[in-house]
Amino acid sequence: MGEAERGESAPRLRISFWCSNGHETQPSFASDAQTPETWDCPRCGFPAGQDRDNPPDPPRTEPYKTHLAYVRERRSDADGEAILAEALAKLRGEI
């Protein structure tokens, strides 16, 4: 199937995007389409912007936290001791 069967293609515009690693990506857009401010770099996955000198910062990833780490953020050691003592007393039938 050639261009004769499909009709003429829409006029295209290639826009350059740069990521913080210096990779350049040039996706093509229809000339009348609104271009996005950022584009994902196909090489490293970081966001890329149209300003070569000021690319977007890479996303900051938080380290994985366990359930226990979240509990320790909310409770002090003294709170944990009190809760444990209460649970043990309930199991022993003291409460």
Side-chain angles (χ1 to χ4, degrees):
M1 235 177 128
E3 195 169 304
E5 289 90 14
R6 285 187 268 157
E8 297 209 19
S9 61
R12 296 280 175 187
L13 184 62
R14 292 187 77 79
I15 309 259
S16 292
F17 290 88
W18 288 273
C19 71
S20 60
N21 288 332
H23 302 141
E24 181 182 11
T25 305
Q26 290 185 326
S28 63
F29 299 95
S31 62
D32 59 347
Q34 185 178 11
T35 57
E37 290 183 24
T38 61
W39 192 262
D40 289 340
C41 177
R43 290 180 65 189
C44 64
F46 286 173
Q50 295 180 26
D51 185 0
R52 180 182 213 158
D53 298 327
N54 295 314
D57 293 327
R60 190 170 160 237
T61 56
E62 295 291 326
Y64 174 76
K65 288 186 188 178
T66 63
H67 175 70
L68 183 58
Y70 283 109
V71 169
R72 285 185 173 160
E73 283 180 2
R74 294 190 315 263
R75 306 264 189 216
S76 68
D77 287 342
D79 290 342
E81 294 281 334
I83 292 170
L84 179 61
E86 182 183 333
L88 289 173
K90 190 180 285 187
L91 285 173
R92 292 180 184 139
E94 297 171 5
I95 295 181

